[in-house]
Each structure stands twice: as structure tokens, then as C-alpha cells.
Amino acid sequence: MDFTFTEEQQAAVEAAKAVFATTAPDAVPSPALTTKAVADDFDRALWNTLAKSDLLSLLIAPEHNGAGLDAIALCLVLRESAKVVARVPLLENSAAAQAVQAHGSPELKQRTLAATGRGELVLTVAANGRTGHDPAELAVTARQDPNDHSWTLDGVQTAVPWAHNADLIVVPAHTPEGRTVLAAVQRTQDGLTLAEQYSTNGERLGELHLDAARVPATDVIAAEGAWDELRNLLTTGTCALALGLGEAVLAMSSDYTSKRVQFGHPVATFQAVAVQAADRYIDLRAMEATLWQAAWRISTGSEGALPAVGDIAVAKIWASDGVRRVVQTAQHLHGGFGADTDYPLHRYHAWAKQLELSLGSAAAHEETLGDLLASHSLS
């Protein structure tokens, strides 16, 4: 395993840094000051800039005018986006495009991939299930018509990110035979309705209702393992977001405690402050190491002592607990200033809590990892 990034991956990082350098975390109202969404839409201006910088086509193959890179490159860019809490569906859009590219029909690929890379078509994924606690693939049923082979979808998916603004929503569903399929459903599809929901960080979500929504066979992915691959990429990308956000928050804490003077000395020189900052630095380095391990496994398909989901579980354990500890320590070190809505730390805290909720409980991931260890010989 080699964690040295390729020239292409490093070029993607540099392009991302240039794009996000002008992104302001406080460009929308504070989530603490509104009971609804901070905005009706994502940052379209930033989205267009990402498209012009070829950062929306990272995972898309050259034959569809993409860069043909891998999950590691995507995670590197997501890491930079989280440092400024960029309000764009970069993860969901890229992961859905990858699923279409890997397993979609020729017609679906032709209609979506090039347009997605240009930023003209926005994709998202319904990955939270009916309640946010049950498997997403069990929340919707899919039945195929034996005559025209179209599919009929029924069910509910909660907390779908950017659902009101995406053009296509990739929905996992289960068939009567117990298989999982992925349906690329148009937001304007008959039988599809969206209810308003709001996330912890103030973003607009959608509760997706499907009532006898008919989707053509060309827009349904029935390949074995397609949902598992998509879910793994979404999860690993969320870990990358947690890492980037945590790094930005620790940098804010370092800057603040270096300038805040108490008893005639910067508080950063106090041992108690330095020890807490050091602990959070260790958290971030563990988050980083486990992230790249997981991204490397899903990018290369390399074999290991455990399946790739084991590495992803470890990354989730560190990301979920780590990002929470980083922002909690930052709030403590900032004192009351950290809750000031004119200062951006409270926004990062809200985003961190949303990421933690998205990743799920570290204890649950530890249980998953324990089951994998029990069922696989490491000798």
C-alpha cells in the first residue's frame, strides 16, 4: 500500500484549493438564526466554477469527457470543500455518476455522464432509508412489468440531500426476489413527491415519496453489488468531509488560542490547552490514515484480511467520533466566542454534527467490525 498521491490526484487538489479559496463559510444565514433552510438551493455559482475546473468529472471516464480518476482523488477534493463548508452536492453527484458509469445502461450513460461533468445535470442519492435507521434498500419496493420491462417504485426515503434541486435521484429499492436495484428517477417523475425537511446544519432536505412511479428499464441498474459500491463510496466520501472540516476547525482553534491572551500570555502556551489541541491532532491523523486506507481499498479493489467494508467501518469509527471531539474541544477553547453567530465556528459545529449523524454511531461500526473479525480468519 502506497499513500503517495499521483500527479493527477495532486493536480486535482491544487485545482480544488484554487476554487474553494474564495468560498465564504458565512455566505448564507446562520442555521442558528433560522427555523427553516439557510437557502433554497445550493451554491450554483460555485457549482459552475467546479464544472469549469473539471472537478465535477473526476470519476467520469475520458470517453465521456471526464478525468478518469478514482475515489482517492474525489476524497482529496471533498476534504478541501469541507474546509470552507462548501454548499454543493459534490459527493452525491460524483458517487451517483460513478454508479451509472460502472453499471448503467448505454442509454443512461449517454444521457447523464457528459452532462453531469459539465454541471448541467445534477445527481443525488437517497441513501437514508425510510426512517434514517433502517437499510435504505428496504425502504422502497421495485416491481418489473413483464411486458415492457419498466419498473414500478413504491415507498419513502427520508432526508434526501439536495432532492429539491437535483435533476435525477438515484434510489435503491428491493425486488420481490430480494435483489437490490438502483433507479435513476427524475425529480419531475409522475408519482414522485417531496416533503420539506431540514438538516442539523440548516440545509434543505427532501422526504421522497414514491407512489406507483414508473421508471423505464434503461434507467434502472440491476447489477449485483452496484448498491454496495455506491454506499461504500458515499460513506468514504463523508469521512473525507469530516476530515477536512476537522482540520479547518483545529486551525481555527490554533489561530484563536495563539492570539487570545490571559494572565499576560497566549492561552496556547498553557499546558492544558496544548494537551487538548495535541489530542485532537492525533484524532485527525487517525482519521486521515483510516480514510486513505478505505479509499485505497475501494479504488483498487485490493484484497485484504477483511473485506473493504472492514476498512470503511474503521474509517467511520474515527470520523464519527473524531469530528465530534475536534469541534467540542474547539468550542471549549474558544469559550463563549465559539457560539457567536458572527464567528464561523458555530457553522462548523453544526456541519460536524450533521456529518456525525450521517455516519452513524461509532459503537454500531465497532459492532460491524467485530462481526467481520469473528467471521474471517486473519491468519
Side-chain angles (χ1 to χ4, degrees), residues 139-261:
V140 174
T141 60
R143 292 174 287 106
Q144 189 170 28
D145 189 312
N147 297 315
D148 64 4
H149 303 294
S150 65
W151 293 81
T152 300
L153 305 180
D154 292 277
V156 178
Q157 291 275 1
T158 194
V160 182
W162 318 110
H164 295 275
N165 311 111
D167 300 295
L168 282 178
I169 304 172
V170 176
V171 181
H174 69 280
T175 70
E177 299 78 27
R179 294 187 298 119
T180 298
V181 299
L182 296 174
V185 186
Q186 295 186 40
R187 180 168 49 84
T188 55
Q189 169 73 45
D190 290 339
L192 183 154
T193 57
L194 291 169
E196 293 281 350
Q197 292 181 313
Y198 308 109
S199 69
T200 301
N201 58 340
E203 294 301 333
R204 190 183 186 197
L205 305 176
E207 183 178 76
L208 174 70
H209 293 256
L210 294 166
D211 184 11
R214 293 181 67 86
V215 180
T218 55
D219 291 359
V220 175
I221 298 171
E224 186 73 26
W227 167 233
D228 292 333
E229 293 175 14
L230 174 55
R231 180 173 51 197
N232 288 346
L233 181 54
L234 286 169
T235 303
T236 305
T238 306
C239 292
L241 292 172
L243 173 61
L245 185 144
E247 289 176 329
V249 168
L250 186 60
M252 291 171 65
S253 300
S254 175
D255 181 65
Y256 177 78
T257 56
S258 296
K259 296 175 180 176
R260 175 76 166 88
V261 175

Side-chain angles (χ1 to χ4, degrees), residues 5-294:
F5 300 120
T6 66
E7 290 184 7
E8 292 82 3
Q9 291 164 349
Q10 292 171 342
V13 173
E14 293 305 315
K17 287 181 178 179
V19 169
F20 295 123
T22 58
T23 301
D26 54 359
V28 293
S30 165
L33 301 178
T34 177
T35 58
K36 295 187 177 181
V38 295
D40 290 334
D41 200 357
F42 58 84
D43 190 338
R44 292 282 179 172
L46 176 59
W47 191 251
N48 292 334
T49 304
L50 288 168
K52 292 175 183 177
S53 301
D54 296 326
L55 293 175
L56 299 184
S57 58
L58 286 174
L59 304 186
I60 297 175
E63 63 190 87
H64 298 288
N65 301 319
L69 298 182
D70 55 16
I72 296 174
L74 176 62
C75 286
L76 284 166
V77 174
L78 290 170
R79 178 186 189 179
E80 296 303 318
S81 76
K83 292 178 181 179
V84 294
V85 289
R87 301 181 52 263
V88 286
L90 179 60
L91 170 57
E92 297 82 5
N93 187 75
S94 300
Q98 172 64 13
V100 169
Q101 178 169 261
H103 303 290
S105 67
E107 295 88 346
L108 185 60
K109 293 179 185 180
Q110 186 65 33
R111 290 203 324 269
T112 62
L113 293 180
T116 299
R118 294 192 299 267
E120 298 168 0
L121 191 73
V122 180
L123 313 181
T124 192
V125 184
N128 289 312
R130 185 178 61 86
T131 65
H133 301 286
D134 51 342
E137 65 272 20
L138 300 183
V140 174
T141 60
R143 292 174 287 106
Q144 189 170 28
D145 189 312
N147 297 315
D148 64 4
H149 303 294
S150 65
W151 293 81
T152 300
L153 305 180
D154 292 277
V156 178
Q157 291 275 1
T158 194
V160 182
W162 318 110
H164 295 275
N165 311 111
D167 300 295
L168 282 178
I169 304 172
V170 176
V171 181
H174 69 280
T175 70
E177 299 78 27
R179 294 187 298 119
T180 298
V181 299
L182 296 174
V185 186
Q186 295 186 40
R187 180 168 49 84
T188 55
Q189 169 73 45
D190 290 339
L192 183 154
T193 57
L194 291 169
E196 293 281 350
Q197 292 181 313
Y198 308 109
S199 69
T200 301
N201 58 340
E203 294 301 333
R204 190 183 186 197
L205 305 176
E207 183 178 76
L208 174 70
H209 293 256
L210 294 166
D211 184 11
R214 293 181 67 86
V215 180
T218 55
D219 291 359
V220 175
I221 298 171
E224 186 73 26
W227 167 233
D228 292 333
E229 293 175 14
L230 174 55
R231 180 173 51 197
N232 288 346
L233 181 54
L234 286 169
T235 303
T236 305
T238 306
C239 292
L241 292 172
L243 173 61
L245 185 144
E247 289 176 329
V249 168
L250 186 60
M252 291 171 65
S253 300
S254 175
D255 181 65
Y256 177 78
T257 56
S258 296
K259 296 175 180 176
R260 175 76 166 88
V261 175
Q262 189 72 27
F263 307 114
H265 300 279
V267 296
T269 62
F270 298 168
Q271 186 178 35
V273 172
V275 167
Q276 291 182 72
D279 285 343
R280 300 295 77 82
Y281 177 81
I282 292 170
D283 276 335
L284 290 172
R285 296 292 68 78
M287 290 167 65
E288 182 177 22
T290 54
L291 164 66
W292 298 133
Q293 170 76 6

Side-chain angles (χ1 to χ4, degrees), residues 235 309-310 312-318 320 356 358-372:
T235 303
V309 291
I312 294 171
V314 174
K316 287 198 289 185
I317 290 168
W318 278 104
S320 181
E356 181 188 357
S358 298
L359 287 165
S361 164
H365 307 321
E366 289 167 353
E367 185 175 341
T368 298
L369 185 60
D371 291 342
L372 285 170

Side-chain angles (χ1 to χ4, degrees), residues 313-358:
V314 174
K316 287 198 289 185
I317 290 168
W318 278 104
S320 181
D321 267 2
V323 74
R324 172 178 51 80
R325 287 193 291 258
V326 169
V327 294
Q328 286 179 344
T329 297
Q331 289 283 13
H332 177 66
L333 296 181
H334 278 79
F337 196 50
D340 189 338
T341 55
D342 290 328
Y343 186 70
L345 180 58
H346 77 285
R347 296 178 183 272
Y348 286 84
H349 199 156
W351 274 76
K353 178 55 67 174
Q354 179 65 30
L355 291 172
E356 181 188 357
L357 292 171
S358 298

